[in-house]
Amino acid sequence: MEPARLRIDEVRKLARGRDGNPVEILKGVSCEVFAGEILALVGPSGGGKSTLVRLLNRLEEPSAGSILLDGEDLRQMDPLQVRRRIGMVLQKPYMFPGSAGENLLKAFSLRHEPVPPLDSPLVAETLELCRFPADLLEQEARSLSLGQQQRLNLARCLVTAPEIVLLDEPTSALDRPTADRLGAGLAEFARRRRGAVLMVTHDLRLAERIADRLVYLEAGEILEQGACRELLAAPRTGALRRFLSAPEELEEACP
Ligand SMILES: Nc1ncnc2c1ncn2[C@@H]1O[C@H](COP(=O)(O)OP(=O)(O)OP(=O)(O)O)[C@@H](O)[C@H]1O
């Protein structure tokens, strides 16, 4: 078996609560992400999912434990280098003023890297992966629909060829067909480029469709992890069973 691209080992995160006392947001979390797979990170609100994602991109640092990228501790690496290799797609797409094409290539100019032409094979492949029509490239980015902006946002991340992609609720604002199109692009990225994807999501249908494995995080602890479809069909713990049957979660999962 191939070694993990990302290894999260006994990670703890302490923060100061509203009353000034320390609160443990992550209580010794361990899991791995492999090349070519999609890992769905699910769990109730406030469980620590976004915090874990921020640690993986070095937007925050763990209080204890380690995160290894190909065996190297993230803390030993330059944060900019980490972000080149680990791309992140936020829930709400930010569009710069200008055309969709300019937005796509912004990823390079922001990093002071050579900008490929819009008609390069890399751009064409990325647009295809993200189901973003090339004839929209000249359109003002801010005038695109939310679903189009979301796919352009993913394309802006994938065009720089990250090895790992982190996504925090990528489909929360999308209708079912648009969410599925975005999911199909992620699955292609994992398969064709052997990319590793870690996706925080409440969209259990999407997870079932595209995720290989599932990690269930509740109150700062991983209570279950394993093959995604198997766990969704037959959760082993009462905690995941309750989460899967909670009506409010199902509502969010099935818009
Ligand atoms: N910097 C911080 N300082 C103090 N508390 C924090 C900080 N960041 C997060 N928290 C708390 O840690 C807990 C976990 O938050 P986090 O956003 O990681 O959860 P989540 O699982 O992503 O939730 P959601 O699904 O609602 O987005 C919450 O109770 C939150 O209020």
Side-chain angles (χ1 to χ4, degrees), residues 69 72 74 77-86 111 113 163:
L69 173 57
E72 195 179 345
L74 285 195
M77 300 170 70
D78 171 15
L80 287 180
Q81 196 56 34
V82 170
R83 286 177 207 142
R84 275 203 175 91
R85 297 178 62 186
I86 306 181
R111 294 171 173 186
E113 286 176 6
E163 298 156 46

Side-chain angles (χ1 to χ4, degrees), residues 13-18 23-26 43-52 54 60 91 168-169 200 202 217:
K13 180 67 185 174
L14 290 170
R16 206 156 287 282
R18 253 178 260 133
V23 282
E24 203 169 18
I25 301 174
L26 294 172
S45 188
K49 302 179 296 295
S50 302
T51 302
L52 182 58
R54 284 199 299 275
E60 289 187 44
Q91 183 177 358
D168 200 347
E169 303 279 6
V200 172
H202 283 105
L217 183 65

Side-chain angles (χ1 to χ4, degrees), residues 77-118:
M77 300 170 70
D78 171 15
L80 287 180
Q81 196 56 34
V82 170
R83 286 177 207 142
R84 275 203 175 91
R85 297 178 62 186
I86 306 181
M88 187 154 167
V89 180
L90 297 174
Q91 183 177 358
K92 201 165 172 286
Y94 178 80
M95 294 290 122
F96 296 95
S99 68
E102 284 163 344
N103 265 268
L104 182 69
L105 299 179
K106 197 84 181 173
F108 296 94
S109 53
L110 284 174
R111 294 171 173 186
H112 309 291
E113 286 176 6
V115 181
L118 268 181

Side-chain angles (χ1 to χ4, degrees), residues 138-154:
E138 285 181 16
Q139 198 166 313
E140 185 66 27
R142 289 178 174 174
S143 72
L144 297 170
S145 72
L146 183 60
Q148 289 164 341
Q149 289 190 16
Q150 205 84 312
R151 278 176 281 144
L152 182 60
N153 199 30
L154 179 63

Side-chain angles (χ1 to χ4, degrees), residues 18-213:
R18 253 178 260 133
D19 58 3
N21 292 322
V23 282
E24 203 169 18
I25 301 174
L26 294 172
K27 303 171 182 169
V29 162
S30 300
C31 64
E32 294 172 319
V33 192
F34 295 91
E37 81 164 351
I38 298 183
L39 184 73
L41 180 57
V42 304
S45 188
K49 302 179 296 295
S50 302
T51 302
L52 182 58
V53 166
R54 284 199 299 275
L55 296 178
L56 298 178
N57 203 31
R58 285 206 66 185
L59 292 170
E60 289 187 44
E61 301 293 344
S63 310
S66 58
I67 301 170
L68 306 179
L69 173 57
D70 291 333
E72 195 179 345
D73 196 315
L74 285 195
R75 279 168 298 197
Q76 310 301 321
M77 300 170 70
D78 171 15
L80 287 180
Q81 196 56 34
V82 170
R83 286 177 207 142
R84 275 203 175 91
R85 297 178 62 186
I86 306 181
M88 187 154 167
V89 180
L90 297 174
Q91 183 177 358
K92 201 165 172 286
Y94 178 80
M95 294 290 122
F96 296 95
S99 68
E102 284 163 344
N103 265 268
L104 182 69
L105 299 179
K106 197 84 181 173
F108 296 94
S109 53
L110 284 174
R111 294 171 173 186
H112 309 291
E113 286 176 6
V115 181
L118 268 181
D119 59 2
S120 64
L122 172 72
V123 169
E125 196 219 356
T126 304
L127 293 179
E128 192 206 325
L129 271 182
C130 300
R131 314 295 195 263
F132 189 86
D135 55 13
L136 289 180
L137 284 176
E138 285 181 16
Q139 198 166 313
E140 185 66 27
R142 289 178 174 174
S143 72
L144 297 170
S145 72
L146 183 60
Q148 289 164 341
Q149 289 190 16
Q150 205 84 312
R151 278 176 281 144
L152 182 60
N153 199 30
L154 179 63
R156 193 164 58 194
C157 174
L158 298 190
V159 78
T160 61
E163 298 156 46
I164 295 167
V165 176
L166 310 173
L167 303 110
D168 200 347
E169 303 279 6
T171 59
S172 58
L174 304 182
D175 59 27
R176 190 75 260 153
T178 313
D180 287 342
R181 272 202 294 277
L182 193 116
L186 283 173
E188 290 265 313
F189 164 73
R191 192 174 57 79
R192 266 203 242 169
R193 294 194 188 164
R194 297 283 298 149
V197 176
L198 186 146
M199 170 178 81
V200 172
T201 188
H202 283 105
D203 185 344
L204 298 174
R205 267 208 234 168
L206 181 76
E208 185 177 34
R209 186 171 291 203
I210 67 166
D212 301 285
R213 286 191 306 122

